[in-house]
Amino acid sequence: HGYEVWGVDLAETAIKWAEERFQQANLTAHFIVGDVCNLPQFSDLEFDLIVDGSCLHCLIGEARQRCLAEVKRVLKPKGHFAISSMCGSPHNPEDIDCYDIEKHQLLKNGQPWRTLRPLQALLDEVREAQFSVRATKINNNPWWDHATLVCSAL
């Protein structure tokens, strides 16, 4: 459809997988191994749409603010930012036992591995990063809930 597509992931394996999928579909895109919290490769680029493919909940602590700041920096003034993120509280007993309720983090072997904020805290965080939330959809799951937010920069 004439879109110019870029993809970023820390994992080289994910980038190779994306390249293969696009080649199989006869599509073109630019995929780079990179850190969504620091995108110097996009110093001269702005995007109409940025899609968080379930990345934000993988970021811990201040990395979340750095990511949101980078998204805001490279998003066109009338662009949209779609967030797909775990939210709510864990439902499984083993996850509940490994959940830091104060930091909203799921722990694995005592270390934070996912951020699982209640929906309102997630909305507040996105708004504090200077985004306006245009639409919200929640998928309720047996393990934890999942939010899809459509945002634009303020």
Side-chain angles (χ1 to χ4, degrees), residues 136-148:
T136 303
K137 181 178 184 207
I138 303 300
N139 290 326
N140 301 108
N141 298 306
W143 45 93
W144 46 68
D145 297 335
H146 201 93
T148 301

Side-chain angles (χ1 to χ4, degrees), residues 94-142:
E94 60 271 13
D95 292 328
I96 292 169
D97 291 342
C98 297
Y99 182 63
D100 182 333
I101 195 165
E102 291 179 21
K103 294 182 180 177
H104 306 294
Q105 295 171 345
L106 285 171
L107 306 176
K108 187 180 277 187
N109 299 322
Q111 297 298 313
W113 74 283
R114 295 290 183 266
T115 299
L116 184 56
R117 291 180 180 256
L119 177 60
Q120 190 58 55
L122 177 61
L123 292 169
D124 291 345
E125 177 183 32
V126 169
R127 288 179 179 128
E128 286 171 16
Q130 300 299 304
F131 289 97
S132 172
V133 179
R134 304 288 187 193
T136 303
K137 181 178 184 207
I138 303 300
N139 290 326
N140 301 108
N141 298 306

Side-chain angles (χ1 to χ4, degrees), residues 6-23:
W6 289 79
V8 177
D9 200 295
L10 272 176
E12 190 172 326
T13 301
I15 294 301
K16 287 180 181 178
W17 176 82
E19 289 171 339
E20 290 170 4
R21 297 276 305 207
F22 265 64
Q23 286 173 353

Side-chain angles (χ1 to χ4, degrees), residues 19-138:
E19 289 171 339
E20 290 170 4
R21 297 276 305 207
F22 265 64
Q23 286 173 353
Q24 290 169 355
N26 253 354
L27 299 170
T28 59
H30 311 277
F31 293 108
I32 60 171
V33 175
D35 180 355
V36 296
C37 299
N38 183 23
L39 298 168
Q41 308 90 328
F42 302 127
S43 61
D44 296 336
L45 294 173
E46 289 185 315
F47 299 93
D48 294 305
L49 173 65
I50 297 175
V51 177
D52 160 24
S54 294
C55 174
L56 188 61
H57 62 243
C58 295
L59 301 176
I60 306 299
E62 67 181 36
R64 295 171 63 83
Q65 290 75 37
R66 288 195 316 267
C67 173
L68 292 171
E70 281 293 87
V71 168
K72 188 170 187 315
R73 181 182 65 78
V74 299
L75 187 66
K76 285 185 179 178
K78 293 189 180 197
H80 290 89
F81 176 35
I83 299 171
S84 175
S85 181
M86 296 164 42
C87 72
S89 305
H91 303 298
N92 284 336
E94 60 271 13
D95 292 328
I96 292 169
D97 291 342
C98 297
Y99 182 63
D100 182 333
I101 195 165
E102 291 179 21
K103 294 182 180 177
H104 306 294
Q105 295 171 345
L106 285 171
L107 306 176
K108 187 180 277 187
N109 299 322
Q111 297 298 313
W113 74 283
R114 295 290 183 266
T115 299
L116 184 56
R117 291 180 180 256
L119 177 60
Q120 190 58 55
L122 177 61
L123 292 169
D124 291 345
E125 177 183 32
V126 169
R127 288 179 179 128
E128 286 171 16
Q130 300 299 304
F131 289 97
S132 172
V133 179
R134 304 288 187 193
T136 303
K137 181 178 184 207
I138 303 300

